[in-house]
Amino acid sequence: MTLAYHRAIGRERHRVANHCSRQRSTSTSDSTRSCSARCRQARCMQALAAEQADTAARRDSVNAELAKQANALAAAARAVRETDAALAAKQKQLDDLQQQRSDLQQQLASQRAAIADLLRATYALGHGSDLRLLLGDEDVAQIARALVYSQYFQRDRVQRVERLMGDLARLQELESAIAAEQQALQATKVQREQQAQQLTRQRAARQKLAVETDAKYKDQTQRLAAMKQNAQSLNQLLDKLQKAIDEAAAPRRGQPPPSRAADIRGKLPWPANGAVNPFGNGVLIKAAAGSEVHAVARGRVIYAGFLRGYGMLLILNHGNGWMSMYGNNESLLHGVGDEVEAGEAIGTASAVTGVNTGVYFELRKSGKPVDPADWLRKHG
């Protein structure tokens, strides 16, 4: 009895201690819960992307090869884009240096002219010699004034010459910087040309693989079956993403209800430029290869990766149950967890290679597809 009694007391103390510990941690956890929820959501999205890639690789060897090739093409396209940005930055630096050189050369020309004028004035004052003033027969006051003027001109001449020498040294530094920048610019141009060739090869490989994959379908029935399977894969992915979003955004005690979204029907910008054709639950936009694909509204990236039937796919969560999808990208410019603004570039378009190709765009509300034409601006 005594042993049982002490064990019961010990269990009760342990329970009370745990309860008190939970109570003390409640206020601290409330202040960090929002951040922790976002972190958990980002980790969950990344895990889902990795799971999707693993599932795609196991689906069949063709799918794995498509994913591998799509990622290689995306890497090549990103490299060209980043080098183009570096070229633009280097060209701007070179232009700035050349402008500084031009301004300094004008300043030097002005200084040289001013020094020449000063020397002429000094010579006119006393033919360039203070000794002549002392040997002359002018009165003392005139000699004193002349000496003061002469000393003033000499000091001014020394100061101007010192500034001139400093500016000449600065000009020499600018010339060296310009030469170095020109060399760096030329090296970057060579790198860009090599990357462009690699991108061309990757695009050709992608087209060849797409043709080979399409040739495996014996008839239209098989193609439709594959499209249906691709759509099911997308739906399954979206269900998992929505579940993760819902769990992370579950209402907490004392939290106000979400605000009502503004009426944006018919006001959203198009994600890309080009002819539009309906396709599946969305549309295909015949955008130029390499052109930018833009977010139609502010949101957070919840998926960025390859999905068969949709190529390099990026999905944005806009809140209040809204999602937008951007497929068939050549490269993706953002990763899971990134916040993007309306109109911000999120990808670049793949080349149009057939009827059912182009940037794929789809909108969903609470998991259900909605007609993009009702929400996007009238297409001109």
Side-chain angles (χ1 to χ4, degrees):
M1 290 290 293
T2 303
L3 181 59
Y5 171 77
H6 284 294
R7 285 178 176 173
I9 291 295
R11 286 195 297 269
E12 181 63 16
R13 285 177 178 171
H14 183 68
R15 185 189 67 80
V16 172
N18 285 340
H19 175 74
C20 292
S21 177
R22 287 195 298 270
Q23 288 294 102
R24 285 193 300 269
S25 65
T26 298
S27 58
T28 302
S29 62
D30 284 343
S31 63
T32 59
R33 190 173 296 163
S34 178
C35 179
S36 298
R38 288 196 299 271
C39 293
R40 285 197 303 272
Q41 182 180 346
R43 288 194 296 268
C44 182
M45 299 305 175
Q46 290 167 350
L48 284 174
E51 178 187 342
Q52 184 64 39
D54 183 58
T55 301
R58 291 198 306 268
R59 180 172 162 183
D60 56 53
S61 59
V62 174
N63 192 76
E65 185 62 26
L66 285 169
K68 179 181 177 181
Q69 204 286 318
N71 283 294
L73 176 57
R78 277 196 307 272
V80 170
R81 182 181 176 87
E82 290 168 0
T83 303
D84 283 342
L87 277 173
K90 289 183 181 299
Q91 186 62 57
K92 185 179 185 305
Q93 291 173 355
L94 180 60
D95 292 343
D96 290 343
L97 288 172
Q98 290 175 333
Q99 183 60 49
Q100 292 178 37
R101 179 177 64 181
S102 177
D103 294 342
L104 189 55
Q105 286 173 338
Q106 292 180 3
Q107 185 176 333
L108 286 170
S110 176
Q111 287 180 356
R112 288 191 181 99
I115 290 175
D117 292 341
L118 184 61
L119 290 174
R120 283 192 292 270
T122 303
Y123 182 80
L125 179 67
H127 298 291
S129 173
D130 295 336
L131 181 61
R132 188 176 183 278
L133 293 172
L134 296 175
L135 297 177
D137 55 358
E138 290 87 350
D139 59 44
V140 175
Q142 184 177 356
I143 292 175
R145 285 195 301 272
L147 287 174
V148 170
Y149 290 146
S150 178
Q151 291 171 357
Y152 167 77
F153 282 128
Q154 288 175 1
R155 284 196 300 269
D156 191 34
R157 180 174 58 189
V158 170
Q159 292 172 356
R160 288 176 180 270
V161 169
E162 288 178 346
R163 286 198 296 271
L164 178 63
M165 295 301 293
D167 287 343
L168 284 171
R170 172 61 180 154
L171 179 60
Q172 187 174 5
E173 292 175 358
L174 282 174
E175 293 288 0
S176 299
I178 287 172
E181 201 63 41
Q182 287 174 332
Q183 290 179 356
L185 184 63
Q186 183 58 37
T188 305
K189 287 180 178 179
V190 172
Q191 180 186 14
R192 203 275 182 193
E193 179 61 28
Q194 294 171 346
Q195 291 172 337
Q197 293 173 1
Q198 175 66 12
L199 178 59
T200 300
R201 289 193 292 269
Q202 290 293 344
R203 283 173 172 169
R206 171 185 174 275
Q207 175 63 14
K208 179 182 177 182
L209 183 59
V211 172
E212 291 174 351
T213 302
D214 188 68
K216 293 180 182 293
Y217 300 123
K218 297 180 179 180
D219 51 33
Q220 189 64 19
T221 301
Q222 285 192 351
R223 287 189 178 87
L224 292 175
M227 290 176 62
K228 184 177 180 180
Q229 187 176 10
N230 294 336
Q232 289 174 347
S233 297
L234 178 60
N235 288 333
Q236 291 170 0
L237 173 62
L238 291 173
D239 289 343
K240 293 177 182 178
L241 292 172
Q242 188 61 58
K243 182 180 179 181
I245 293 169
D246 293 342
E247 290 176 351
R252 296 182 295 274
R253 184 176 57 189
Q255 185 183 45
S259 57
R260 187 175 180 179
D263 183 10
I264 55 173
R265 186 183 294 269
K267 299 178 182 178
L268 294 177
W270 282 82
N273 295 322
V276 178
N277 295 325
F279 184 84
N281 292 320
V283 293
L284 287 173
I285 305 171
K286 307 292 186 180
S291 61
E292 290 184 345
V293 179
H294 303 272
V296 298
R298 188 174 187 272
R300 182 187 296 272
V301 179
I302 57 174
Y303 184 83
F306 178 82
L307 186 67
R308 184 165 182 176
Y310 301 92
M312 297 301 288
L313 174 69
L314 187 140
I315 303 176
L316 289 177
N317 174 34
H318 303 287
N320 294 318
W322 282 99
M323 288 185 189
S324 59
M325 282 146 280
Y326 311 78
N328 297 337
N329 291 281
E330 186 170 72
S331 66
L332 302 177
L333 306 181
H334 286 278
V336 172
D338 289 354
E339 288 276 1
V340 298
E341 299 296 328
E344 186 174 349
I346 56 175
T348 58
S350 292
V352 176
T353 57
V355 176
N356 292 328
T357 58
V359 174
Y360 179 75
F361 177 72
E362 182 180 334
L363 274 175
R364 294 208 179 194
K365 170 64 173 173
S366 301
K368 297 181 180 180
V370 298
D371 187 354
D374 293 338
W375 293 87
L376 298 171
R377 296 169 186 163
K378 295 300 180 184
H379 199 266

